[in-house]
Amino acid sequence: MARVDPAWGTEHLAAISRLEDTLGRPICGHFTQTGPCSTAPAAGGRCAAHSGLVPATMKRTSARRPGASSRTLLITVVGIAVALIVVGVASKMLHDPAEEIYRKAVALIAADRRAEAEPLLSLLMREHPDSPYAAKAKEIMTRSHPRSSEPAEQLYNEARNFYLSGRRQDYEEAARRYLAVVEKFPKDPLAREALYEAALCMDYLGHVTETVRLWRQFLREYGDDGRAPEALYALGFIHYTQLGKRDEGKAYLEELIAKYPDSSSADAARSTLGLPLDSDTSSLSAPAQPAAQSGPPSVLTTPGQL
């Protein structure tokens, strides 16, 4: 029989055995595309053409098609290249969250979903103020915002964009524009919102005198607003803890508890005065009245927190 190569599979060995039985002599047996080599072996058990060759392509039982190795190598190389590109892109996005947020926002705007994009742009400006994408986000929010045909609404939108940025210097700009709405368009429904948000900006910026003036104006002009308890609490808190006018501050807080006993602002007032939350407020001088809710409700109870 032909000299057996350890790489030969059982089917190839069987083919050699059948061919040798048919020819009645030993054969070379080297693997070829058409089967075992049937040439008589020379010295060493192989024919002259295959003497000394190691049948590296003979793996087990089946022959490979021409070019299979090249195609496999090409597919492997392409796969590695694609994987590297994907990993590179993913790594870049992971290391630059500002870009990821910006891309999402731009995609939403392109899909005509600006209302969903603006909170993302505000988040980007607040969380990544030093990123170049923060400047792009601000430009979209302040310069590319759809302009209203109404000057009051246009001015209010500009103020709102600065207000949403979350940065101190932008609160100054927001307050100026809010107050411009109040002064130039006092009869416009947006004047109420502008006055409320201007007071919040001034409170955050620490302009105590201006904050007090604006909260008093809000109560005087919009006393039926659902946020009146907040204005009362803000005035009481500022006088009681910041201005050192405890009697005046206490008067504001007691008025709040009497008028709006079930509000979260009243609970904050009781805490400031050191009263239990279930305290009986019937002894307070102001008569109890139901809380008016003609304006939009809010849960803000602590001055200085936007």
Side-chain angles (χ1 to χ4, degrees):
M1 185 176 183
R3 177 167 62 85
V4 177
D5 190 285
W8 291 347
T10 56
E11 291 186 12
H12 187 69
L13 290 172
I16 291 173
S17 178
R18 287 194 299 270
L19 189 55
E20 286 183 333
D21 288 342
T22 301
L23 296 175
R25 61 174 173 80
I27 63 174
C28 169
H30 186 79
F31 174 81
T32 69
Q33 297 297 328
T34 58
C37 175
S38 60
T39 305
R46 297 285 183 272
C47 67
H50 300 128
S51 179
L53 294 178
V54 177
T57 58
M58 176 55 214
K59 297 299 180 184
R60 296 302 172 192
T61 63
S62 60
R64 301 172 114 176
R65 294 189 305 273
S69 297
S70 298
R71 285 194 295 273
T72 301
L73 179 60
L74 177 61
I75 292 172
T76 302
V77 171
V78 171
I80 293 173
V82 171
L84 289 175
I85 292 172
V86 172
V87 170
V89 171
S91 177
K92 182 178 180 181
M93 294 187 74
L94 285 173
H95 286 83
D96 194 355
E99 180 181 0
E100 184 177 4
I101 296 172
Y102 179 76
R103 289 183 183 276
K104 288 181 180 178
V106 170
L108 288 170
I109 291 174
D112 198 23
R113 296 163 61 185
R114 188 182 184 90
E116 298 175 51
E118 288 187 351
L120 289 177
L121 294 172
S122 298
L123 173 67
L124 169 56
M125 290 187 289
R126 183 173 63 254
E127 299 295 332
H128 308 281
D130 298 326
S131 169
Y133 292 99
K136 294 182 180 180
K138 184 175 181 179
E139 182 178 357
I140 292 175
M141 291 284 283
T142 59
R143 298 181 184 177
S144 301
H145 197 284
R147 298 293 182 179
S148 169
S149 58
E150 298 294 334
E153 185 176 354
Q154 179 178 328
L155 191 57
Y156 178 82
N157 285 338
E158 291 176 0
R160 186 68 174 167
N161 287 333
F162 280 106
Y163 177 77
L164 291 173
S165 75
R167 299 199 299 178
R168 182 180 180 85
Q169 59 268 35
D170 288 339
Y171 285 137
E172 298 277 4
E173 293 294 331
R176 277 193 284 271
R177 285 166 172 78
Y178 281 137
L179 292 176
V181 173
V182 175
E183 294 167 6
K184 295 179 180 180
F185 310 99
K187 301 300 183 181
D188 192 285
L190 287 173
R192 177 193 299 246
E193 305 304 316
L195 180 58
Y196 174 80
E197 291 175 17
L200 292 179
C201 287
M202 290 299 181
D203 192 6
Y204 178 85
L205 292 168
H207 302 330
V208 178
T209 301
E210 188 67 6
T211 301
V212 169
R213 183 185 74 81
L214 293 177
W215 284 128
R216 284 175 174 167
Q217 182 180 350
F218 185 82
L219 286 173
R220 184 172 62 253
E221 297 181 9
Y222 308 110
D224 63 341
D225 190 281
R227 295 163 293 187
E230 297 172 26
L232 280 171
Y233 177 72
L235 287 169
F237 184 89
I238 291 171
H239 283 85
Y240 196 84
T241 65
Q242 297 179 28
L243 296 179
K245 299 180 179 180
R246 296 177 68 87
D247 290 341
E248 191 171 350
K250 183 179 179 182
Y252 278 119
L253 296 174
E254 289 179 341
E255 179 183 356
L256 164 59
I257 294 170
K259 286 185 175 181
Y260 312 102
D262 298 326
S263 67
S264 57
S265 295
D267 285 340
R270 293 186 186 98
S271 178
T272 301
L273 293 174
L275 300 175
L277 296 184
D278 59 350
S279 174
D280 180 9
T281 59
S282 60
S283 61
L284 298 177
S285 57
Q289 301 176 14
Q293 293 295 333
S294 62
S298 173
V299 297
L300 181 72
T301 58
T302 305
Q305 296 183 2
L306 298 180

